[in-house]
Amino acid sequence: MAKAFAVPAQLNAIEPYDRVLEIDDGTGQIRHFPMIGENIVIGRVAEVDVQINNASVSRKHAELYCDRWGRWWIRDLGSSNGTRVNGFRTSERMLELADCVELGKCKLTLTMPNQSMESSGGTSIAGQVVAVHSSDDAAAGLSMLRQSQNGSSRISALHLSQLMEMSQSLQRTEQQRERLRLLCELMVSEHFAADVGVVLMISKKEPGPPQTLCVPQVRAGCNAQSLYITQALVEACKNSMEPTLVRPSETDGSDQRLAAMACPIRNDEEALVLMYLMVKQPFANEEWLTLASLAAEHFKQAEAAWVNRKLAKVNALVEIDLERARDIQMRLVPNGIKVPGMEVAIGFKPCRWVAGDYVDVINLPNGHVMLVVADVCGKGLPASLVSSSLHTMVHAVTAAGADLLNLTYLLNRHLIAYLPANRFVTAILIDLDPKTGQMQFINAGHPAPLILDSVGNKRPLEMGDYEPLGLRDVEYKLSDDILARGQTLAMFTDGLTELKDQSGKMLTSIRLGDHLAQIAMSSEGQPLDIAADQLNHILDAYTGNRLQSDDRTFLFARR
């Protein structure tokens, strides 16, 4: 016995969707619209995506659109009666599941699919009801043919020409619903075989009937009611993933009964999507099955091109955002800062668009200078957000007059509260008096800075062994040292010591120290920026063509 399933009369796309619009137009009938694509216009006129024939709804009342993060919004299009969400009038608002949208006297509710869209007893969902014949029914009176099973294909130049024209049209057509219509429209056109064409989606995760993804296209003079979906064909196509034909057998005794063809368009973990055609008996052969499969291949190629275009567009938007984030972060790196009685030079090179390193030079009200170099665990955008928050907090706390111990305590407490588990920040914070060279500093698990002189001597700052910031409460203590006149203080992150050459060999702290000592000697009497340029040149030469795997940050200070 045939089972009746609904055929939605609207199409958005062939990809899976996770939201459905439940539409109550005030007549007592409930319709459901799958929310796929980028925008859906709702109104009273036929040209919109969702038509609601109610006088309280404007011709073009509102628009639903999906942002780049997959969130759905509703925007009023200057309607007469306005748009309300959960009782509150709005011009534009993001929607959540179960939100109730009122357009005049009509109500729309955002729901999940496969809850409201499953049909039973022939209930229509936004369209006509069609029969889906069970495997037993089909097996009793149908025979099956797959492409290349027998015979030979004879396709004319006219068919190939029309396929190429359709392919070009698909490449120009931005709306996915329109592309699917073009495919099915070609199949029912004058020189092709189908009486009825439609695209079906069979969910692999949720049991239920196939869902149509477009309005069935019908050949002129034919009856749309002749569309029926044969479960045997759907199952055969699902198992073989080949173009397949099911036709009434010769013993059936009916020449009027239509055969059915199915050609896979998409198959993944979510769903199987088929182009499904109804054809008269004279066309139920391999020749027309091959032609239909060629049309499906042209469509798949066009869809792949549109997916690539969309990805390119998304990537371009992401790159724009990352470029802006990089610009903001670079503005936070001190540039051209003047410290009375001292020279300062900074090197800062993210391994990606943005860095998880933080470097700063802050002139304090008492004439001292605060030097900070920190390295956030991780890379890229998440680490850069933490480093930006460090910049904000260090400036705010020092402006409030906090000393080095209080600053470190507050930073640690802040990071413990907000960093994810097993994330941390290494840091070296130095309070330096340019007049005397006296330094007080705290090291939180960071590589020890070096003091360099003009004759090639180097020594690390002597400091305690303390944990990084953000792991647990730690009582940090101050250490002391002196930067003599003419000496250079070199602070850096492990992005320098762990730098790798073409063979994967690390630079190491020993070789870095040797390079720094040589630079301190060769740059005596020259601006400190020249020493920074020399180090960047050495680091670039060491890595060669190898991609940088960590952020590179260093700070030079010379009295």
Side-chain angles (χ1 to χ4, degrees):
M1 182 171 182
K3 294 178 290 184
F5 290 124
V7 179
Q10 300 290 350
L11 162 73
N12 283 46
I14 64 170
E15 68 262 17
Y17 52 89
D18 60 1
R19 294 292 184 272
V20 172
L21 198 63
E22 184 178 279
I23 305 168
D24 180 356
D25 59 8
T27 64
Q29 253 189 331
I30 303 296
R31 291 186 291 152
H32 297 87
F33 190 94
M35 297 173 65
I36 317 173
E38 296 181 356
N39 66 298
I40 301 167
V41 177
I42 306 170
R44 199 173 69 249
V45 296
E47 293 78 13
V48 298
D49 303 308
V50 178
Q51 184 182 17
I52 301 178
N53 191 16
N54 189 299
S56 66
V57 176
S58 296
R59 292 171 57 82
K60 291 187 178 180
H61 196 113
E63 177 188 29
L64 291 161
Y65 66 93
C66 187
D67 65 21
R68 69 181 68 170
W69 295 281
R71 303 174 302 187
W72 282 97
W73 296 68
I74 189 162
R75 177 192 296 134
D76 187 83
L77 298 178
S79 63
S80 300
N81 293 320
T83 300
R84 295 179 178 271
V85 178
N86 299 328
F88 295 94
R89 187 158 183 159
T90 184
S91 58
E92 188 172 27
R93 175 168 168 171
M94 187 176 75
L95 298 178
E96 301 286 350
L97 276 175
D99 277 351
C100 180
V101 179
E102 297 175 65
L103 308 182
K105 297 179 179 179
C106 302
K107 293 184 178 181
L108 292 71
T109 305
L110 195 63
T111 66
M112 295 285 287
N114 298 314
Q115 296 174 351
S116 55
M117 292 194 69
E118 293 183 358
S119 65
S120 59
T123 302
S124 176
I125 302 177
Q128 68 185 98
V129 177
V130 296
V132 179
H133 293 263
S134 69
S135 299
D136 292 339
D137 294 334
L142 298 172
S143 62
M144 195 171 297
L145 173 70
R146 291 202 177 92
Q147 189 181 7
S148 300
Q149 184 173 318
N150 58 46
S152 61
S153 296
R154 299 183 306 277
I155 300 173
S156 72
L158 175 63
H159 295 127
L160 296 178
S161 174
Q162 291 188 339
L163 283 176
M164 293 302 298
E165 289 178 6
M166 180 199 70
S167 182
Q168 293 172 3
S169 297
L170 294 176
Q171 296 287 350
R172 295 191 301 267
T173 304
E174 185 172 359
Q175 291 294 326
Q176 290 182 348
R177 83 176 84 198
E178 182 65 13
R179 294 198 295 272
L180 280 177
R181 187 192 65 78
L182 288 173
L183 172 65
C184 294
E185 189 178 69
L186 177 67
M187 293 295 97
V188 300
S189 63
E190 178 183 359
H191 298 290
F192 284 73
D195 281 12
V196 184
V198 71
V199 175
L200 303 177
M201 182 172 70
I202 300 96
S203 174
K204 293 184 178 180
K205 292 189 173 181
E206 297 289 340
Q211 298 176 14
T212 63
L213 296 181
C214 66
V215 177
Q217 298 298 304
V218 183
R219 178 187 291 272
C222 296
N223 187 354
Q225 297 297 325
S226 61
L227 172 63
Y228 65 90
I229 299 169
T230 305
Q231 188 173 337
L233 178 55
V234 171
E235 291 297 324
C237 222
K238 184 189 298 184
N239 295 331
S240 69
M241 282 309 300
E242 296 177 4
T244 306
L245 166 67
V246 168
R247 59 191 174 192
S249 66
E250 294 181 0
T251 60
D252 188 28
S254 173
D255 293 332
Q256 302 301 317
R257 189 172 177 187
L258 295 179
M261 295 178 180
C263 298
I265 290 177
R266 196 198 81 205
N267 183 39
D268 55 30
E269 295 179 355
E270 297 285 336
L272 170 66
V273 177
L274 304 172
M275 178 178 70
Y276 195 93
L277 307 175
M278 305 299 301
V279 299
K280 288 186 172 69
Q281 292 287 350
F283 302 102
N285 55 47
E286 185 185 3
E287 179 177 357
W288 291 103
L289 180 62
T290 300
L291 191 60
S293 69
L294 280 175
E297 287 300 319
H298 277 277
F299 181 83
K300 287 192 284 187
Q301 292 174 10
E303 289 304 289
W306 279 105
V307 167
N308 288 334
R309 290 184 197 178
K310 186 174 182 179
L311 288 175
K313 182 179 179 181
V314 171
N315 289 339
L317 291 172
V318 171
E319 286 191 10
I320 290 172
D321 286 345
L322 288 173
E323 188 65 49
R324 290 171 178 168
R326 182 186 181 92
D327 179 65
I328 291 172
Q329 187 174 57
M330 295 305 294
R331 290 173 183 269
L332 299 180
V333 177
N335 182 30
I337 189 167
K338 303 296 182 182
V339 179
M342 288 192 66
E343 283 185 274
V344 176
I346 290 174
F348 185 80
K349 187 178 181 181
C351 73
R352 299 178 184 172
W353 286 92
V354 287
D357 287 356
Y358 166 48
V359 58
D360 219 338
V361 180
I362 305 172
N363 285 310
L364 302 176
N366 61 0
H368 292 194
V369 61
M370 176 81 72
L371 307 175
V372 183
V373 172
D375 185 358
V376 179
C377 175
K379 301 176 182 67
L381 192 58
S384 74
L385 293 174
V386 178
S387 68
S388 297
S389 72
L390 288 175
H391 177 279
T392 300
M393 192 164 185
V394 167
H395 278 258
V397 173
T398 54
D403 59 20
L404 201 57
L405 276 174
N406 282 328
L407 170 61
T408 308
Y409 170 79
L410 292 172
L411 286 175
N412 191 42
R413 293 299 304 161
H414 173 76
L415 294 172
I416 289 173
Y418 294 105
L419 276 186
N422 300 320
R423 298 297 184 188
F424 56 85
V425 176
T426 68
I428 177 76
L429 302 94
I430 300 178
D431 184 325
L432 190 151
D433 184 352
K435 293 181 179 178
T436 64
Q438 184 69 39
M439 295 186 291
Q440 287 190 317
F441 53 87
I442 292 175
N443 183 17
H446 201 79
L450 297 177
I451 293 181
L452 315 164
D453 62 25
S454 59
V455 295
N457 295 318
K458 63 180 184 294
R459 67 177 178 87
L461 286 186
E462 297 294 336
M463 54 186 63
D465 185 17
Y466 292 105
E467 292 184 12
L469 301 169
L471 291 177
R472 63 187 182 93
D473 284 324
V474 176
E475 186 179 351
Y476 292 96
K477 294 183 180 179
L478 292 173
S479 299
D480 299 275
D481 211 317
I482 293 179
L483 183 67
R485 186 74 62 184
Q487 288 184 329
T488 300
L489 174 68
M491 305 166 64
F492 46 85
T493 62
D494 62 9
L496 277 65
T497 60
E498 297 177 1
L499 200 66
K500 294 180 181 179
D501 65 9
Q502 299 272 43
S503 65
K505 184 179 180 180
M506 282 190 183
L507 180 60
T508 73
S509 57
I510 295 176
R511 280 199 290 270
L512 176 63
D514 292 340
H515 286 306
L516 290 173
Q518 184 63 37
I519 290 172
M521 285 194 296
S522 63
S523 64
E524 183 186 10
Q526 297 178 329
L528 201 55
D529 285 338
I530 292 178
D533 291 340
Q534 290 179 2
L535 180 56
N536 278 323
H537 178 75
I538 290 171
L539 299 176
D540 290 339
Y542 187 80
T543 57
N545 294 327
R546 186 185 181 93
L547 291 176
Q548 187 178 327
S549 60
D550 199 359
D551 305 321
R552 269 174 31 189
T553 303
F554 64 86
L555 185 154
F556 289 160
R558 183 169 67 192
R559 289 186 67 219

